[in-house]
Amino acid sequence: MPNSLNNAPEPAVKEGPVFNFFKRLSDHVGRYMALYAVLVTLLAYFVRGSFTSFMGNPDFLGGQLNVTNLLMVIMFGMGMTLRFEDFKVVFTRPRDMLVGEAAQFMVMPLAGFLLCLAFQLPPELAVGVILTGCCPGGTASNVITYMARGDVALSVGMTATATLLAPVLTPLLTMFYTGLYSDSIGGSDIHVDALGMFVGIIKIVIVPIALGMLLNRFFRKFTANLTAGLPLISCIGICLIIGFVIDKSGESLLEKGFIIILAVILHNLIGYLMGFLAGWALRLPAPRRNAITIEVGMQNSGLATALAATCFPAMILAQVPGAIFSAWHNISGAIAAGLMARSVTPEPAASAAPDSSQKE
């Protein structure tokens, strides 16, 4: 994420052979995250046991290498790239923030629900699609916004604010839309432990981010040296999550894989479209419109996968939409950024590039 929102001088980074190696490796992995996500998906799909043999296995690291812990590490890294000044945009540009957050938490949950109805998805897949739509925006959107010549400050503010709103809005929206879906198809009720989901988001997202922000606030020289390796850590983490979920889903994907992928792609594209239309209807400048477009379309799908695993353990396929979304939105985001960048006239004082620390 960008540190340009803070006017304080950046701490000096101690460079050396090891630092430079990991910096180059991290930059490479961050740049080609979409490719690695696709390769991991194919490996997990065709080679059974390629990830389940060690992830979540009590005989390997005591079972501590699991989806929840990996996401906590990724969120901690996100916190180390955030500063308290990043929330200033909430107060300095309230209209932009209100439009973006309203679109985020209205469009994606509703789109997920309507896609479930359109494809008549079984309940466990419907839970995964709806849950993905009810999660906040993903932090990869900040990097994609920069690529699209969008308003990076607005993107960072939206991501941070949506993440803080998630403990309340995500459980309530998930409970509402899964209940509505059950009623619509005449099936049995889908139980949503809203309190458990609230506690889970606090544990998995809010606490790690807060600790990362505090570390960045009081030990900035230390975090300045660590952030160079965050893209590598984050990309490895999200690829492990994708691989584990696809591997674990096993034979079920052979039967339902195409319809899941189609639903996920449409969900993502609808988010881009509705975000763009919201910005266009309000006649926002192209950089702001691009930021909102990307923020609405890209989700914290890693969180959706982790919540599906912890809150719906009996529904194995509920984790799959989030995992596929993680792979797909990095691909679509890069393509969308290339198209949207053409609508923006380059300015001499462009926004500083954000850290490509987080991909999900």
Side-chain angles (χ1 to χ4, degrees):
M1 283 193 180
N3 290 330
S4 57
L5 301 180
N6 191 324
N7 293 324
E10 293 292 331
V13 176
K14 295 181 180 179
E15 297 188 12
V18 176
F19 175 88
N20 290 331
F21 169 76
F22 280 105
K23 179 69 167 61
R24 289 195 299 271
L25 183 60
S26 292
D27 290 344
H28 168 81
V29 172
R31 188 177 301 114
Y32 296 103
M33 170 60 188
L35 173 61
Y36 288 121
V38 171
L39 292 176
V40 164
T41 301
L42 294 174
L43 174 65
Y45 184 78
F46 289 107
V47 183
R48 297 296 178 217
S50 51
F51 290 87
T52 53
S53 59
F54 63 94
M55 278 194 63
N57 186 344
D59 296 329
F60 183 77
L61 300 178
Q64 295 304 306
L65 185 63
N66 54 51
V67 171
T68 299
N69 289 344
L70 284 170
L71 188 62
M72 289 172 69
V73 171
I74 294 171
M75 292 296 101
F76 179 72
M78 172 187 169
M80 285 198 296
T81 67
L82 276 175
R83 296 181 181 181
F84 292 99
E85 290 84 352
D86 293 339
F87 292 92
K88 284 183 178 179
V89 68
V90 177
F91 306 101
T92 58
R93 292 155 60 184
R95 188 186 76 144
D96 294 344
M97 288 295 300
L98 181 61
V99 170
E101 299 301 344
Q104 172 72 58
F105 285 108
M106 291 175 64
V107 168
M108 294 304 278
L110 178 59
F113 165 72
L114 293 176
L115 285 169
C116 291
L117 282 182
F119 290 109
Q120 289 293 291
L121 297 181
E124 59 182 330
L125 282 179
V127 165
V129 172
I130 290 172
L131 184 55
T132 300
C134 295
C135 282
T139 52
S141 60
N142 307 145
V143 179
I144 299 298
T145 296
Y146 173 75
M147 293 168 57
R149 295 179 182 170
D151 189 327
V152 179
L154 176 60
S155 176
V156 173
M158 281 187 60
T159 300
T161 303
T163 301
L164 291 180
L165 293 173
V168 175
L169 292 182
T170 296
L172 292 178
L173 288 169
T174 302
M175 187 165 55
F176 173 75
Y177 280 109
T178 53
L180 190 61
Y181 185 70
S182 294
D183 294 340
S184 300
I185 64 173
S188 57
D189 290 338
I190 300 172
H191 174 68
V192 178
D193 181 6
L195 179 60
M197 193 176 292
F198 171 84
V199 173
I201 296 173
I202 295 293
K203 171 188 171 184
I204 297 171
V205 177
I206 303 299
V207 171
I209 287 178
L211 291 175
M213 289 181 68
L214 289 173
L215 189 67
N216 188 33
R217 172 65 178 83
F218 294 106
F219 302 96
R220 191 160 293 168
K221 289 183 179 179
F222 175 71
T223 58
N225 288 286
L226 287 182
T227 51
L230 289 180
L232 177 62
I233 295 172
S234 298
C235 291
I236 290 175
I238 203 64
C239 282
L240 285 173
I241 291 173
I242 293 171
F244 174 74
V245 172
I246 299 300
D247 189 8
K248 185 179 179 181
S249 302
E251 299 299 325
S252 300
L253 279 177
L254 294 176
E255 179 183 352
K256 302 182 176 71
F258 175 76
I259 195 170
I260 301 173
I261 293 172
L262 181 58
V264 164
I265 290 175
L266 289 175
H267 199 182
N268 173 235
L269 296 181
I270 289 171
Y272 289 147
L273 176 61
M274 298 307 295
F276 176 85
L277 290 176
W280 175 80
L282 293 172
R283 298 184 178 181
L284 296 179
R288 298 184 190 183
R289 186 180 65 232
N290 290 356
I292 291 175
T293 298
I294 292 166
E295 281 296 321
V296 175
M298 299 186 74
Q299 298 295 93
N300 190 336
S301 42
L303 175 60
T305 303
L307 291 177
T310 56
C311 300
F312 304 95
M315 296 182 168
I316 302 299
L317 287 180
Q319 303 174 45
V320 175
I324 295 177
F325 204 106
S326 292
W328 166 253
H329 77 173
N330 284 294
I331 299 171
S332 66
I335 296 172
L339 295 174
M340 286 188 288
R342 300 175 184 176
S343 67
V344 182
T345 302
E347 298 180 2
S351 298
D355 292 337
S356 56
S357 310
Q358 313 299 329
K359 292 275 185 177
E360 66 237 326

